[in-house]
Amino acid sequence: MNFINPLSKLISHPFLGTATPSEYSPIVLTGVLLSLIVVYIASKLGGEISRKIDLPPVLGELVAGVIVGASALHLLVFPEGGAEASNSVVIGLLQFINNLTPDAATSIFEAQSEVVSVLAEIGVIILLFEIGLESDLKELQKVGYQATVVACVGVAVPFIAGTVGLVYFFHFPVIPAIFAGAALTATSIGITSKVLSEIGQLKSREGQIIVGAAVIDDILGIIVLAVVASLAKTGEVDIVNVIYLIVSATTFLIGSILLGKFFNKSFVGIADKLQTRGNIIIPALIFAFFMAFIGNAIHLEAILGAFAAGLVLDETDKRKELDEQVKPIADILVPIFFVTVGARVDLSVLNPAIPSNREGLFIAIFLIAIAIIGKFVTGWAVFGQPGINRIAIGVGMIPRGEVGLVFAGIGAASGVLDKPLQAAIIMMVILTTFIAPPLLRVAFKEPAEPQKPVEKPVDGVTDS
Amino acid sequence: MNFINPLSKLISHPFLGTATPSEYSPIVLTGVLLSLIVVYIASKLGGEISRKIDLPPVLGELVAGVIVGASALHLLVFPEGGAEASNSVVIGLLQFINNLTPDAATSIFEAQSEVVSVLAEIGVIILLFEIGLESDLKELQKVGYQATVVACVGVAVPFIAGTVGLVYFFHFPVIPAIFAGAALTATSIGITSKVLSEIGQLKSREGQIIVGAAVIDDILGIIVLAVVASLAKTGEVDIVNVIYLIVSATTFLIGSILLGKFFNKSFVGIADKLQTRGNIIIPALIFAFFMAFIGNAIHLEAILGAFAAGLVLDETDKRKELDEQVKPIADILVPIFFVTVGARVDLSVLNPAIPSNREGLFIAIFLIAIAIIGKFVTGWAVFGQPGINRIAIGVGMIPRGEVGLVFAGIGAASGVLDKPLQAAIIMMVILTTFIAPPLLRVAFKEPAEPQKPVEKPVDGVTDS
């Protein structure tokens, strides 16, 4: 680009020709800053538009990620998705400003992508920590058998139908099929409970069962993810290993909650003693990161540990202060996760105009059908409740949310899911989240026009 | 380590032998989490002990960083400092858990260090943004000529004496000498104003001059840093270039403040319109990161842009809300910067028992002497104020703080400063911060015992 811009030579770094990687550091930082600017603008535009049309902001962040990512604008692309430095608009800009060689551009691209990926992973750790903080264990004990049965059916049916279908009809290897099947299991608590409260059905029998089941679903989903991701790492499905993983994930979660009751007091004691800034948030993050490390070290998932840490700290006196301090941190880190999940997906692999994409399209249609039917049937799992609106319960369980995206994100980052399968899962999350609110209103025989919530909502985690 | 721990084989990742870098991602994440745990524990221990003995927490964070870093525990080391994967305790642990090959360990070490370095750099960007938010431009206009003269003398004397001394007595090349000289310029506003308020002298004539001069010093220091760092990048000291850089840094700062008055209204308008979470902090960060990018793109420093962004947003109605939301973010990111600055330094190069270290020791002693004398003389720059306590003013300007550390951090990361010079600057920052409070009490002829502040202090940026 030199001949069009003599200035780029004038302001170039002369030493870059023979630079070692550490000399690129300021440029890597600039690349990360530009990527974060893209992420934040995308997340705000997407989130706000989504809210305007009465959908959860997280859906808008995801779609905005798809737009700025590998599918369209190439403002945010990743080497694992097959992108090269020359595909990245951000790297192109850095190359223009700093007059980089192609080799330098490649190593900056890789370093920048690594940093953004880790930031996204820290984002999802903070997200699960926050979800843990918001899940009230005592409430959970109250929801009862009905919700538990609904939750278990809603996890088992789509998981089994999805996995078996992918293996038998589409001849997928077992590991990616299990991963995709598992991505169908989670229910989004946020969107359903928001719609229910809008139509005044949150406290109804149906509403209570749906919300209770969605909470349990989140927990089951995280356990399923930990197990499935661990299987994906070893590449083998061995029944002993599966049982070992299920037992260890469950033990880890329950064990940390039980041990956590002791830790709680030390946490409050430490936070009270500390006099310098960050006296609550820093000990909380040390705990969350440590639990995430343990989750990783025992070959489950970091997010399982972060979720457990959130559940534990939820029970302390400091909860309110902690909630308030975690919020801005989640606000700046969680969108990095959602936007990059969208950005990593290349939806063009589902473009129906290209004949070789047909297979991928059929997979997407199949997954979406299973995702809807597999949750819809849960309404008939309710027992001993004559006259209950089974359709409403089934419909209420349909939307997938953060946990579904966590599956897609971790699957994409680990390389287990190929591009069409990734794209299919993202389409599934988008569509199920999209159709649930109108269907739910119909199921409860409510007028289709949404009643706007009165308060100015400052929401997010609980909002999708 | 296999033979001592058969378990490590059992729980190892079989594919790692032939892994591509992206397959290491979960281990890089684990390494980053462990590094952050080390950073946070060190920062809290150091900060709290420091506060107990009535010193600013940031000094404790720095010393704790020295202890966990290359000088002692090797829990946090960086490849730029000459460390290898085998020197890092964190990597050793990861190797033990995951049964990594040495090559894998090296690439994980490099990726993890890159991520932690970028997090530290984002930390210093947030720090300068916060300092900008806390610097009141209107107050600054009031401090008057006296403070400006004191500030300018306090920047010029140590800068010139330090640079010239290093070149003539110690035969340093010009660029590192200028960098080290520049590191002597900044005054810490936090520690001085805290001590002044404790001994009831904050509103005295001397107190007002000291605080005003320290504020101006911070700004002059940031401009000097931007100019010097840019010189270091090109490796040449060309008088035209120096003038160009000084003019552009000053223009950038003043220009963004003037243009910022227009942006202010748009910022408040946008923040009011946004309905989703992060409606204030995300636009603020977009602005701060964008300004940091511009600062970098025009070959000054990212932190200059972040500081300007803070000055601009300081003037808005949303300032209070923004302050509150920036705080937890600064709490988790800024310590990464301070601890890694300490961790990067290898103080063993100043060990007097080893004869070859003598040169480094003399450099350290020279820099500390210049740092103290260069600020002490500023008391005699005050004019037209008969009977003023010139010694108190000179002593009040002695402590270096965040901005001094920012110099050391950026110098170390850019490779301009060799190890003895880095270590000498860190010692200079530690010692000047350490001696100022007792000297200041003596200068004001106050009893040496400190009066404890009454409120439970939640401090940090303004506290060193």
Side-chain angles (χ1 to χ4, degrees):
Chain A
M1 287 190 190
N2 265 346
F3 61 96
I4 26 173
N5 181 24
L7 187 70
S8 76
K9 190 145 197 168
L10 204 98
I11 59 172
S12 73
H13 296 204
F15 66 79
L16 279 180
T18 56
T20 56
S22 77
E23 291 182 79
Y24 297 141
S25 289
I27 308 179
V28 172
L29 173 66
T30 313
V32 172
L33 291 179
L34 285 176
S35 304
L36 291 181
I37 291 172
V38 168
V39 164
Y40 290 150
I41 292 178
S43 78
K44 274 292 137 223
L45 284 179
E48 291 292 327
I49 292 172
S50 208
R51 161 166 290 278
K52 280 263 149 57
I53 55 175
D54 224 30
L55 284 167
V58 70
L59 189 65
E61 293 183 7
L62 177 69
V63 174
V66 171
I67 293 169
V68 296
S71 303
L73 298 180
H74 289 91
L75 288 164
L76 194 67
V77 290
F78 292 88
E80 301 88 42
E84 288 173 25
S86 57
N87 300 129
S88 160
V89 175
V90 165
I91 296 293
L93 179 61
L94 292 180
Q95 227 170 341
F96 179 76
I97 296 172
N98 297 293
N99 199 20
L100 302 172
T101 63
D103 278 356
T106 300
S107 72
I108 289 168
F109 178 54
E110 280 169 7
Q112 170 212 297
S113 302
E114 181 75 49
V115 174
V116 174
S117 301
V118 171
L119 285 175
E121 290 175 82
I122 296 177
V124 69
I125 286 174
I126 298 287
L127 172 70
L128 270 281
F129 179 60
E130 205 183 14
I131 294 179
L133 276 179
E134 295 192 358
S135 309
D136 192 330
L137 283 179
K138 281 170 204 142
E139 279 298 309
L140 214 60
Q141 285 162 2
K142 281 190 229 153
V143 292
Y145 291 113
Q146 297 285 353
T148 312
V149 171
V150 169
C152 290
V153 171
V155 166
V157 174
F159 177 55
I160 294 169
T163 307
V164 171
L166 286 175
V167 171
Y168 282 89
F169 300 152
F170 297 97
H171 312 292
F172 268 90
V174 177
I175 294 281
I178 288 183
F179 214 106
L184 303 175
T185 58
T187 299
S188 162
I189 177 170
I191 178 150
T192 298
S193 59
K194 185 173 153 248
V195 175
L196 286 173
S197 94
E198 279 173 23
I199 61 180
Q201 294 282 356
L202 195 57
K203 298 285 162 201
S204 68
R205 271 190 303 167
E206 290 85 358
Q208 286 293 296
I209 291 176
I210 294 171
V211 172
V215 173
I216 297 171
D217 248 18
D218 262 2
I219 297 174
L220 290 178
I222 293 164
I223 293 176
V224 170
L225 175 62
V227 171
V228 170
S230 188
L231 289 179
K233 274 179 206 154
T234 58
E236 283 169 42
V237 185
D238 161 12
I239 189 73
V240 178
N241 197 18
V242 171
I243 293 171
Y244 162 78
L245 286 170
I246 293 175
V247 171
S248 64
T250 315
T251 312
F252 176 67
L253 204 56
I254 297 175
S256 31
I257 293 166
L258 293 178
L259 287 175
K261 294 202 190 280
F262 299 98
F263 175 78
N264 268 342
K265 289 193 191 83
S266 341
F267 172 75
V268 173
I270 290 169
D272 277 336
K273 248 190 171 170
L274 297 182
Q275 301 276 309
T276 50
R277 265 179 68 160
N279 62 324
I280 294 174
I281 189 72
I282 294 283
L285 279 197
I286 292 173
F287 182 56
F289 288 172
F290 177 72
M291 293 290 280
F293 161 68
I294 297 290
N296 238 343
I298 60 173
H299 288 246
L300 295 166
E301 278 293 304
I303 54 162
L304 185 70
F307 179 68
L311 284 178
V312 167
L313 295 186
D314 173 40
E315 306 275 290
T316 64
D317 303 343
K318 297 279 172 197
R319 194 208 137 152
K320 216 175 144 257
E321 272 174 276
L322 181 57
D323 271 0
E324 265 165 33
Q325 295 188 12
V326 170
K327 233 171 207 167
I329 294 167
D331 288 345
I332 65 162
L333 287 173
V334 176
I336 307 176
F337 174 72
F338 288 128
V339 173
T340 56
V341 168
R344 280 175 191 276
V345 179
D346 186 358
L347 280 194
S348 69
V349 298
L350 296 185
N351 180 354
I354 299 163
S356 64
N357 289 346
R358 299 275 150 82
E359 167 103 15
L361 263 178
F362 284 124
I363 297 170
I365 294 168
F366 170 74
L367 283 185
I368 292 164
I370 294 289
I372 294 172
I373 298 167
K375 291 289 183 184
F376 191 68
V377 297
T378 58
W380 283 265
V382 180
F383 54 92
Q385 295 270 358
I388 199 157
N389 189 339
R390 292 176 192 275
I391 293 175
I393 291 176
V395 167
M397 300 291 289
I398 287 176
R400 306 306 191 275
E402 292 85 352
V403 179
L405 291 180
V406 171
F407 271 90
I410 289 173
S414 71
V416 177
L417 302 174
D418 63 9
K419 282 185 166 194
L421 209 46
Q422 268 178 54
I425 291 174
I426 294 289
M427 285 306 300
M428 180 278 291
V429 172
I430 293 176
L431 273 175
T432 54
T433 312
F434 211 79
I435 60 164
L439 283 185
L440 203 55
R441 289 197 176 89
V442 172
F444 276 112
K445 295 185 185 66
E446 282 281 327
E449 51 204 282
Q451 295 158 253
K452 290 268 158 102
V454 182
E455 18 67 269
K456 179 180 170 174
V458 178
D459 63 331
V461 165
T462 53
D463 207 65
S464 60
Chain B
M1 289 188 186
N2 265 346
F3 61 96
I4 24 171
N5 180 26
L7 187 71
S8 77
K9 190 144 196 170
L10 203 98
I11 58 172
S12 74
H13 296 204
F15 65 79
L16 279 180
T18 57
T20 57
S22 77
E23 292 181 78
Y24 297 140
S25 290
I27 308 180
V28 173
L29 173 65
T30 314
V32 172
L33 292 179
L34 285 176
S35 305
L36 291 181
I37 291 172
V38 168
V39 164
Y40 290 150
I41 292 178
S43 77
K44 273 293 136 219
L45 284 178
E48 291 291 326
I49 291 171
S50 208
R51 161 165 290 279
K52 281 263 149 57
I53 55 176
D54 224 30
L55 283 166
V58 70
L59 188 65
E61 293 185 6
L62 176 68
V63 173
V66 171
I67 293 168
V68 297
S71 304
L73 297 180
H74 289 89
L75 287 165
L76 194 67
V77 290
F78 293 87
E80 301 87 44
E84 287 174 24
S86 57
N87 300 128
S88 159
V89 175
V90 165
I91 296 293
L93 179 61
L94 292 179
Q95 230 171 338
F96 179 74
I97 296 173
N98 297 293
N99 199 18
L100 302 172
T101 63
D103 279 356
T106 301
S107 72
I108 289 168
F109 177 53
E110 281 170 6
Q112 170 213 298
S113 302
E114 181 75 50
V115 174
V116 175
S117 302
V118 171
L119 284 175
E121 289 174 83
I122 296 177
V124 69
I125 287 174
I126 298 287
L127 172 71
L128 270 283
F129 180 60
E130 206 183 11
I131 294 179
L133 276 179
E134 296 191 357
S135 310
D136 191 330
L137 283 178
K138 280 169 204 142
E139 280 297 308
L140 214 61
Q141 285 161 1
K142 281 189 229 156
V143 292
Y145 290 113
Q146 296 286 353
T148 311
V149 171
V150 168
C152 290
V153 171
V155 166
V157 174
F159 177 56
I160 294 168
T163 306
V164 171
L166 285 175
V167 170
Y168 283 88
F169 300 152
F170 298 98
H171 311 294
F172 268 90
V174 176
I175 293 280
I178 288 183
F179 213 106
L184 302 175
T185 57
T187 299
S188 163
I189 176 170
I191 179 147
T192 298
S193 58
K194 186 173 152 248
V195 175
L196 287 173
S197 94
E198 279 173 22
I199 60 180
Q201 294 281 357
L202 195 58
K203 298 285 161 199
S204 68
R205 269 192 305 170
E206 289 86 355
Q208 288 292 296
I209 291 176
I210 293 171
V211 172
V215 172
I216 297 170
D217 247 18
D218 261 2
I219 297 174
L220 290 178
I222 292 165
I223 293 176
V224 169
L225 176 62
V227 171
V228 170
S230 188
L231 289 178
K233 274 179 205 152
T234 57
E236 284 169 42
V237 185
D238 160 12
I239 189 73
V240 178
N241 197 18
V242 171
I243 293 171
Y244 162 78
L245 285 171
I246 293 175
V247 171
S248 64
T250 315
T251 313
F252 177 66
L253 205 56
I254 295 174
S256 30
I257 292 166
L258 294 178
L259 286 176
K261 291 195 194 284
F262 299 98
F263 175 78
N264 268 342
K265 288 191 191 85
S266 342
F267 171 75
V268 174
I270 289 170
D272 276 337
K273 251 193 169 167
L274 297 183
Q275 301 275 309
T276 51
R277 266 179 67 162
N279 63 323
I280 294 174
I281 188 73
I282 294 282
L285 279 198
I286 292 174
F287 182 58
F289 288 171
F290 177 73
M291 293 290 281
F293 161 69
I294 296 290
N296 238 342
I298 60 174
H299 288 246
L300 295 166
E301 278 294 303
I303 53 163
L304 185 71
F307 179 69
L311 284 178
V312 167
L313 295 187
D314 173 41
E315 306 274 291
T316 65
D317 304 342
K318 297 279 171 195
R319 195 208 137 152
K320 220 178 139 253
E321 274 174 274
L322 182 56
D323 271 1
E324 265 166 33
Q325 295 188 13
V326 169
K327 234 172 208 167
I329 295 167
D331 288 346
I332 66 163
L333 287 173
V334 176
I336 307 176
F337 174 72
F338 288 128
V339 173
T340 56
V341 168
R344 281 176 191 276
V345 180
D346 186 358
L347 280 195
S348 69
V349 299
L350 296 184
N351 180 355
I354 299 163
S356 65
N357 289 345
R358 300 274 151 82
E359 167 103 16
L361 263 178
F362 284 125
I363 296 170
I365 293 167
F366 170 74
L367 283 186
I368 293 164
I370 294 289
I372 294 172
I373 298 167
K375 291 290 181 182
F376 190 70
V377 298
T378 58
W380 284 266
V382 180
F383 54 92
Q385 296 272 357
I388 199 156
N389 189 338
R390 294 177 190 276
I391 292 176
I393 290 176
V395 167
M397 300 291 288
I398 287 176
R400 307 307 192 273
E402 292 86 353
V403 180
L405 290 181
V406 171
F407 271 90
I410 289 174
S414 71
V416 176
L417 302 174
D418 63 9
K419 283 182 165 198
L421 208 46
Q422 269 178 52
I425 291 174
I426 295 289
M427 285 307 299
M428 180 278 291
V429 172
I430 293 175
L431 273 175
T432 53
T433 311
F434 210 79
I435 60 165
L439 283 184
L440 203 54
R441 290 197 176 89
V442 172
F444 277 111
K445 296 185 185 66
E446 282 281 326
E449 49 204 284
Q451 295 158 253
K452 289 269 158 97
V454 183
E455 19 65 270
K456 177 180 171 172
V458 177
D459 62 333
V461 165
T462 53
D463 208 66
S464 59

